[in-house]
Amino acid sequence: MNRQQPSPMPSHKYRDIFAKVPVAPVERTWPDRRITQAPLWVPVDLRDGNQALAEPMDPERKRKFFELMVAIGYKEIEVGYPSASQTDFDFVRLLASSDLVPPDVTIVVFTPARPDLIARTVESVAGMRGDVVIHMYAATAPVWRDVVLRKSRDELASMIYAGSEEIQRLAGDTVRFQFSPEVYNLTEPDYVLELADHLTKQWDATPERPVILNLPATIEAATPNVYADQIEYMHQNLPRRDGVILSVHPHNDRGTGIACAELAVLAGAQRVEGCVFGNGERTGNVDIATLALNLHAQGVDPMIDFSDIDGIRSVVEYCTRMPIHPRHPYVGELVYTAFSGTHQDAIRKGFAVQGDGLWEVPYLPIDPADVGRGYEAVVRVNSQSGKGGIAHVLDSVYGLRLSDEREFAQHVQRWTDETGREATASDLKALYEEVYGCSN
């Protein structure tokens, strides 16, 4: 049946994840679960997303992006890497010395586990009036330990513990603590548990003052079910679990970052870090706008307001200096548009019977009006379109009812074939008047 031939690509150079790191066995519960409420969303656009830009955001763009995230409802925002640049440090100081941060919004700042950089980070948040999280990270996977850091497991653990002690010494009770074992998904699970046990004990993790343990798929390396197993293993085995907020930070190297995040939430994750529309290194961080609207499409309140998605897109494109693809889920210019005749016919019939109850229009997973879109661009006509779509455009735009849809569709087909162009509503009306000599 399958006549494909071996490719010339050197696939033998690579190993699957099971050959790279132990994937601990787990008593899976996640396949039978459903997501019934939104996790805590934490946008990292101002740090992780910003460091992936060819032109990092200037202070005005960072402020505009921050104000957008506050306005649409994010309550925990990672705002920068203050020890990495003066721009980041100054932006955090702006937040600390102004009234830009509402009292119910938690600010997160990012630092490596290095004493000098930790000191600079703590300095940046001095005087911040609301809740603050200091997010410390260290790469823990074997390749990073051996090639990049050149430290043994014990040596790296000692470095991490020294960093955690320094944060506690300098910041004390004024902040909460977060730790990310970078490249968690390629790190030995027993090593991560060892680190988590030490840090949650040292930082005195309790339900009243929880520690955030963030488990990144820094380089997406396996099918999403494997990541879900890795998250559920930690969920089931973490010491002081009731004092830990289990967080995930998937990237999108395999194109399945969203699936990884959704399965991770099923597996016990309570918090998801990512970027609005998915900007980030290489193929990007997980897209937390798509994740939220996926919940909306399943009848679950995403707890973030995307009712003006084009306004949000405009700000994100301005701040990042990057366009959003027209096929990007929910926000792309064409995602609620049908050109195919069979799709157009189904959508037209769906609109004809759609009432005020549950949304049940074929090919439209959500009502475009939910995110501030109109219906005028839902059906557009080109050479792939059919009589139903042509009739829908003329009726919805001009109130013009065709007496013979099939006959006029043949004229439109000839016109689009000859011109190679999309037929706009005005094109269709002009052609109708040309063919029939009237407009009604």
Side-chain angles (χ1 to χ4, degrees), residues 22 104 124 171 180 256-257 351 400 423 429:
D104 62 345
S124 75
S180 287
T256 57
F351 273 129
L400 199 160
K429 187 170 185 288

Side-chain angles (χ1 to χ4, degrees), residues 23-280:
V23 177
V26 63
E27 292 293 326
R28 295 184 186 90
T29 65
W30 63 260
D32 296 322
R33 292 184 181 171
R34 296 181 182 180
I35 302 176
T36 58
Q37 64 181 27
L40 173 60
W41 307 114
V42 182
V44 296
D45 298 82
L46 298 179
R47 193 274 301 174
D48 202 346
N50 188 50
Q51 70 189 34
L53 297 174
E55 296 180 63
M57 287 180 253
D58 55 38
E60 187 268 336
R61 282 178 165 82
K62 291 199 82 167
R63 177 170 177 161
K64 190 175 186 70
F65 209 138
F66 177 80
E67 290 174 335
L68 169 73
M69 291 188 286
V70 169
I72 63 177
Y74 290 110
K75 297 301 182 184
E76 188 165 315
I77 303 170
E78 189 168 270
V79 298
Y81 191 160
S83 66
S85 73
Q86 190 64 44
T87 299
D88 269 25
F89 183 88
D90 290 345
F91 182 70
V92 178
R93 292 307 306 148
L94 171 68
L95 298 180
S97 59
S98 69
D99 59 359
L100 289 172
V101 184
D104 62 345
V105 171
T106 296
I107 293 301
V108 184
V109 287
F110 185 79
T111 181
R114 284 178 42 188
D116 55 330
L117 303 184
I118 288 168
R120 180 74 165 162
T121 304
V122 173
E123 179 187 355
S124 75
V125 296
M128 192 80 70
R129 287 186 289 274
D131 289 342
V132 175
V133 171
I134 293 185
H135 177 186
M136 185 184 76
Y137 86 97
T140 54
V143 173
W144 276 254
R145 294 197 309 260
D146 298 341
V147 175
V148 181
L149 301 173
R150 297 183 180 179
K151 292 183 182 294
S152 67
R153 279 177 49 146
D154 289 345
E155 289 170 335
L156 180 59
S158 295
M159 185 189 86
I160 291 168
Y161 301 154
S164 63
E165 289 170 4
E166 187 68 0
I167 292 174
Q168 192 167 32
R169 184 182 73 82
L170 293 175
D173 294 335
T174 64
V175 304
R176 289 195 295 114
F177 307 110
Q178 174 176 342
F179 175 65
S180 287
E182 192 189 5
V183 210
Y184 160 75
N185 58 321
L186 289 171
T187 302
E188 307 93 331
D190 69 300
Y191 187 44
V192 177
L193 279 177
E194 175 188 321
L195 296 173
D197 183 29
H198 183 103
L199 294 174
T200 56
K201 183 184 298 181
Q202 179 187 326
W203 284 337
D204 191 24
T206 64
E208 295 72 32
R209 190 165 179 248
V211 168
I212 301 164
L213 179 64
N214 186 53
L215 303 176
T218 309
I219 305 290
E220 196 182 17
T223 51
N225 61 294
V226 174
Y227 188 53
D229 284 351
Q230 292 174 315
I231 298 303
E232 182 147 24
Y233 176 81
M234 297 301 291
H235 173 57
Q236 292 178 356
N237 291 281
L238 271 177
R240 289 165 285 281
R241 179 67 185 90
D242 63 348
V244 174
I245 296 173
L246 191 59
S247 174
V248 292
H249 182 126
H251 277 251
N252 198 43
D253 300 88
R254 291 168 53 94
T256 57
I258 287 170
C260 281
E262 290 180 327
L263 297 192
V265 171
L266 293 175
Q270 301 150 287
R271 178 181 184 272
V272 178
E273 295 185 351
C275 286
V276 181
F277 307 135
N279 174 44

Side-chain angles (χ1 to χ4, degrees), residues 300-320:
V300 177
D301 184 352
M303 309 297 283
I304 302 293
D305 182 5
F306 287 102
S307 59
D308 180 17
I309 203 164
D310 289 328
I312 296 169
R313 178 181 67 178
S314 177
V315 172
V316 172
E317 288 182 325
Y318 168 75
C319 292
T320 62

Side-chain angles (χ1 to χ4, degrees), residues 280-328:
E281 298 280 14
R282 304 178 311 281
T283 55
N285 291 285
V286 72
D287 178 349
I288 56 173
T290 296
L291 282 166
L293 288 166
N294 282 354
L295 290 184
H296 174 69
Q298 295 291 305
V300 177
D301 184 352
M303 309 297 283
I304 302 293
D305 182 5
F306 287 102
S307 59
D308 180 17
I309 203 164
D310 289 328
I312 296 169
R313 178 181 67 178
S314 177
V315 172
V316 172
E317 288 182 325
Y318 168 75
C319 292
T320 62
R321 299 180 177 94
M322 294 196 308
I324 290 172
H325 195 281
R327 298 292 183 191
H328 195 111

